[in-house]
């Protein structure tokens, strides 16, 4: 089942109806095809210099989910949701700059000359940055792609929950994730067995300052 977003009203509904769901129907399985469609929409997210540092570990295997369970502090959704996706960020994403501009060139978005120059600029600039800065970039971009993933899922009628509650070192161990990659979050996705609870937001005026900020 794929639902297309036809109007702004529907998009607004998707945003308003997304809630973190922690109870899933364990018998419901999403197809690999649909997971790919959702991820395909997620990766249209913006990223710093379009370097797309996000990487996804798609976990559908039940045994693997069981192994993930204690790593995620026994959050049952990791096992019951149809799929749990580990979003990780490549802190050496600049290594793909040339490849990305080659795709852009093939698509006719840039000339070979401009693409090569832009790739070089990105590679030179990012490779000179301190690791901490590169991690921050990977986390910011990883957050954007994660949000887009959750909205893409919701638009299709599925629910999600983002999770920062996991032990990064154990996740690294389970999937042999090297230091080059920074775990961003886990996202469980599936069919809700119980609705997510409504959560309050601080009033807009409390979180917004116009034309200045003190604090
Ligand atoms: C980065 C991040 C980490 C989170 N970690 C967890 C988690 O480990 N377990 C969990 O049940 N919910 C987790 N949440 C979900 C939040 O509790 C939830 O988004 C928040 O309460 C607002 O509710 P809503 O998502 O339903 O709007 C996390 C959310 C974010 C953005």
């Amino acid at each position: 089942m794929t639902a297309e977003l036809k109007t702004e009203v529907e998009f607004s509904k998707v945003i308003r109806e997304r809630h973190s769901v922690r109870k899933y129907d364990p018998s419901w399985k999403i197809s690999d095809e649909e997971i790919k469609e959702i991820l395909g929409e997620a990766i249209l997210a913006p990223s710093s210099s379009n370097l797309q540092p996000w990487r996804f570990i798609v976990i559908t295997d039940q045994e693997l989910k069981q192994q993930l369970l204690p790593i995620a502090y026994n959050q049952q959704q990791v096992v019951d949701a149809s799929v749990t996706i580990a979003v990780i960020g490549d802190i050496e994403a600049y290594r793909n700059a040339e490849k990305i501009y080659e795709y852009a060139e093939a698509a006719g978005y840039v000339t070979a000359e401009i693409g090569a120059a832009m790739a070089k600029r990105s590679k030179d600039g990012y490779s000179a940055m301190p690791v901490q800065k590169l991690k921050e970039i990977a986390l910011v971009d990883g957050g954007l792609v994660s949000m887009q993933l959750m909205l893409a899922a919701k638009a299709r009628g599925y629910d999600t929950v983002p999770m920062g509650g996991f032990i990064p070192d154990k996740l690294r161990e389970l999937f042999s994730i090297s230091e080059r990659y920074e775990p961003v979050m886990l996202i469980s996705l599936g069919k809700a067995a119980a609705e997510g609870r409504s959560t309050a937001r601080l009033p807009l005026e409390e979180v917004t300052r116009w034309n200045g900020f003190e604090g």
Side-chain angles (χ1 to χ4, degrees):
M1 184 205 74
T2 55
E4 274 183 39
L5 283 181
K6 294 190 189 70
T7 67
E8 221 172 275
V9 175
E10 285 181 50
F11 181 61
S12 176
K13 202 167 155 202
V14 168
I15 293 176
R16 282 172 172 72
E17 292 186 356
R18 184 214 56 82
H19 299 291
S20 289
V21 163
R22 299 174 179 87
K23 298 233 179 307
Y24 289 89
D25 173 358
S27 67
W28 185 83
K29 297 291 169 215
I30 190 170
S31 69
D32 290 358
E33 215 36 60
E34 209 164 5
I35 295 172
K36 285 183 206 166
E37 285 175 19
I38 290 168
L39 287 173
E41 290 174 352
I43 62 170
L44 299 177
S47 60
S48 184
S49 296
N50 196 31
L51 288 174
Q52 307 158 52
W54 43 68
R55 300 291 178 270
F56 308 100
I57 307 171
V58 179
I59 307 150
T60 53
D61 181 82
Q62 213 52 32
E63 239 172 69
L64 208 45
K65 286 186 197 166
Q66 285 294 346
Q67 285 178 264
L68 190 58
L69 186 61
I71 294 172
Y73 299 108
N74 294 314
Q75 299 191 66
Q76 191 60 28
Q77 59 261 25
V78 162
V79 174
D80 289 346
S82 186
V83 56
T84 293
I85 297 168
V87 182
I88 59 176
D90 182 2
I91 64 174
E92 295 178 15
Y94 56 81
R95 293 187 185 280
N96 286 314
E98 278 155 18
K99 195 196 286 180
I100 291 164
Y101 280 104
E102 279 164 18
Y103 281 122
E105 186 204 334
Y109 302 152
V110 288
T111 62
E113 199 187 343
I114 289 176
M118 289 179 82
K120 185 176 181 322
R121 207 170 59 180
S122 283
K123 207 169 172 183
D124 291 350
Y126 283 78
S127 60
M129 285 181 190
V131 167
Q132 184 55 34
K133 180 68 188 164
L134 292 167
K135 280 186 187 173
E136 286 166 14
I137 292 169
L139 290 175
V140 169
D141 292 348
L144 291 173
V145 82
S146 296
M147 185 72 254
Q148 191 135 311
L149 193 167
M150 291 186 279
L151 293 179
K154 188 68 196 173
R156 289 160 187 270
Y158 307 135
D159 286 291
T160 57
V161 56
M163 285 165 284
F166 63 91
I167 306 161
D169 286 350
K170 297 274 182 203
L171 187 79
R172 286 185 183 282
E173 210 177 296
L174 180 62
F175 293 108
S176 306
I177 302 168
S178 71
E179 291 297 320
R180 174 171 167 174
Y181 300 92
E182 196 62 18
V184 178
M185 69 179 79
L186 301 175
I187 301 174
S188 287
L189 185 164
K191 271 274 178 221
E195 276 186 20
R197 52 177 184 266
S198 294
T199 49
R201 293 296 185 267
L202 294 167
L204 185 60
E205 314 80 73
E206 269 190 46
V207 297
T208 310
R209 297 290 177 273
W210 292 66
N211 304 314
F213 189 83
E214 281 174 30

